[in-house]
Amino acid sequence: MKKIAIVNGPNLNLLGTREPEIYGNQTFEAYFERLQMKFPNVEFSYFQSNVEGEIINKLHEIGFDFDGIVLNAAGYTHTSVSIADAVKSIKTPVVEVHISNVYAREEFRCKSLIAPNCKGVIVGFGLLGYDLAVEVF
């Protein structure tokens, strides 16, 4: 059984209520239940934090024992050298995921500091992006 961790960054705890025209109406908890049913042969771990250091600590904790990490660092994608360094420092492959098409939004969202250290990046497919990332592993 594969072990895959999903790590979500700031404001993703508000999915379902935050800007539904961009992020949809479904909570991540409801989506996560469906994901677990869709992939019964995967042991999932889920972590969300609005705090940069907690995300880094989680990556350090799981970055050597899992088969894959699906990371949506949200706004930290564009600002956090430290999260980028954490991804670079671990052995577990990471796929960066974004619910919205960041390239169709504000200019500052078009640059990911994390992407160069990832196996790949999936953007713009809503929550389906997490499904696609799981398929990678």
Side-chain angles (χ1 to χ4, degrees):
M1 181 174 284
K2 288 188 178 184
K3 287 175 56 175
I4 297 176
I6 296 174
V7 177
N8 276 343
N11 300 310
L12 291 171
N13 56 307
L14 298 178
L15 285 178
T17 57
R18 175 189 176 214
E19 299 175 276
E21 67 281 2
I22 295 173
Y23 299 104
N25 295 314
Q26 187 174 33
T27 66
F28 196 82
E29 291 73 17
Y31 166 75
F32 188 63
E33 287 181 25
R34 187 195 63 74
L35 187 71
Q36 290 173 303
M37 290 188 300
K38 181 176 180 179
F39 296 98
N41 294 327
V42 174
E43 180 184 332
F44 284 103
S45 167
Y46 174 58
F47 178 78
Q48 187 279 325
S49 179
N50 296 317
V51 180
E52 182 180 24
E54 290 178 0
I55 294 168
I56 294 165
N57 288 341
K58 181 54 77 172
L59 290 169
H60 290 175
E61 176 189 324
I62 63 177
F64 299 92
D65 300 325
F66 279 67
D67 297 301
I69 298 171
V70 179
L71 173 63
N72 185 341
Y76 288 136
T77 300
H78 323 291
T79 63
S80 181
V81 171
S82 298
I83 291 176
D85 286 347
V87 170
K88 188 175 183 179
S89 299
I90 61 178
K91 293 196 186 298
T92 301
V94 175
V95 172
E96 180 181 323
V97 169
H98 296 285
I99 296 167
S100 69
N101 180 354
V102 294
Y103 301 104
R105 297 181 65 193
E106 303 91 345
E107 185 178 334
F108 74 89
R109 295 187 195 275
C110 295
K111 170 92 172 142
S112 170
L113 301 178
I114 297 167
N117 301 321
C118 292
K119 181 177 181 118
V121 179
I122 299 170
V123 300
F125 293 100
L127 293 172
L128 178 61
Y130 291 88
D131 294 56
L132 298 171
V134 170
E135 297 275 355
V136 169
F137 305 114

